[in-house]
Amino acid sequence: MAEHRYREGMAVAGAGLALLAAFGPTSAGAAPRNADSGTVTTGPTRSVASRFVPGPCPTTPEPIEALATARCGFLEVPENRARPDGRTVRLAVAVIPAASAKPAQDPVVFMSGGPGGETFDDIPFLVSSGLNRDRDLIVMAQRGNLYDEPNLACPELDRFYATSVGLPSYAPRTEKLMLDAVKKCRARLTADGTDLSAYNSTENAADFADLRTALGLKEWNVYGHSYGSNLALTYLRLHPQGIRSVAFDSIAPPQDVSLPFAWAGAREGLENLYKACAAEPACKSRYPDLERTLNEQVRKLEAHPLTLNVEPPQGGDPVKVVLDGGALVNLLVAKAIPFAEVPAAIDELARGRPERFARARAAGSVPVVGQSAHGLTNSVVCSEWVPDHSASDVLNAGRRAFPDWPDQVLAQAPQLAFQDQVCRVWNVPDRTATVRVAPVSSVPTLFINGTGDMKTGASWAQKTSRTLPRSTAVQVPGIGHWVVPQSPCAQKVLASFLTRPTAPDTGCVADLGWEPFTITPK
């Protein structure tokens, strides 16, 4: 969770973007197949004017090969559908053509993680995973993302996250600097006329419903990871028309996601790590007391933080890094250390060699300013994840998950520090009653989860599938958050599901094991 709220990519700090980034002059600009525009239905009783406008593909910081042949443009929709005569927002869209000469007529639409994660940056991972092998792949930046108008980036927060690697995780000064950045971002966005209450999962889901109609598509398949799985469930509940199948990668069910939920995911992922190490003779022999060792290090570092000067993995001058208990936990949950290396990293730390964790923390000192839509992040988190529980609920959930850890660490959900305070500043309406509803649907669904995921535990698939009777669930050993790009087997399962949603071939899963753990000399 945290800075990237379930999104793969950043280790500790949040990411960012340039405000109101415009499409560049290059790349293809033809309209997607069957594109049209006009008035489309976005809910059971309300119709609003939405349309697709063809245009050039974005010029991304690093060239994305798939965009050279993509058909791009904007989806224009009301910012707030309760005020259809109000401001219009423009959402960047790309249709990546199928690699097959005879593609299926039902494309797959991708819902990215975050909320607020940059969507176009995910295209290379989607293409390399085969998402456009047999059908067109449709990618739309969720409202407020980079390449949208408006873009809800918060460079103020990006700069804070870069600085925070040299600060104690949960100290009052760290909190003050974060809240100052949040206040500045909010003031700037609202001064531009942005209605922050309109950036939520209900509006996001309606945007995708409008997109399918605007592109003239009878039906499509949905693939969402992390927050994108949360959004896909909301979309399935509110706009079931035209959905052929839905695949959820690293499930984050809207009916359950909250700050206490984060501790359950961290516990499940670490439990799976301990079990996997114990089941591998070399790991068990070399790291026999892994859980006890980690518990000791969390307590020790929170009481006596380490301050180091470390060169970031990206290169450059050494930066100041503070490694305390909170930072250690956040690094593990963020998958800043690969799953196979975690036992070795914990052992090294206990032996007075913190460099592996310190380098991972130093990575956050080099921000990509303006890449993540922190405005969308805060609007979703503060309206949908935070309002219905107290600070003591978070602490108690942490104590249940990790009774040996200090309260200073457990009081903050991993990767979601100071959220109660942030949300008082962000000040958007409570939407928990609207979104905390489980979808009931006979649409075929697929759950793909990794046992190494410390953000969204794999067991949530079974719980979520209770109201989705035509579901298939697979667990991939030793894989963390966002499974499909990391697992050839998961790619095969997803491809099979898109071909036969009611009978996917999951045979490769039975032969899977985790990558052998890194064993360092004593």
Side-chain angles (χ1 to χ4, degrees), residues 163-220:
T163 303
S164 69
V165 303
L167 301 171
S169 297
Y170 304 134
R173 178 168 176 257
T174 306
E175 177 184 350
K176 180 182 184 303
L177 290 173
M178 183 177 187
L179 295 182
D180 286 346
V182 172
K183 290 173 185 175
K184 290 176 182 177
C185 180
R186 189 186 195 283
R188 179 174 47 75
L189 293 177
T190 54
D192 289 339
T194 300
D195 178 2
L196 295 177
S197 70
Y199 292 79
N200 57 64
S201 297
T202 302
E203 294 284 2
N204 274 345
D207 293 339
F208 280 92
D210 281 5
L211 179 64
R212 183 187 65 82
T213 307
L215 296 183
L217 297 170
K218 181 180 178 181
E219 64 177 5
W220 63 8

Side-chain angles (χ1 to χ4, degrees), residues 311-328:
E311 182 178 314
Q314 305 95 315
D317 295 333
V319 297
K320 176 186 172 183
V321 165
V322 173
L323 193 58
D324 57 12
L328 176 58

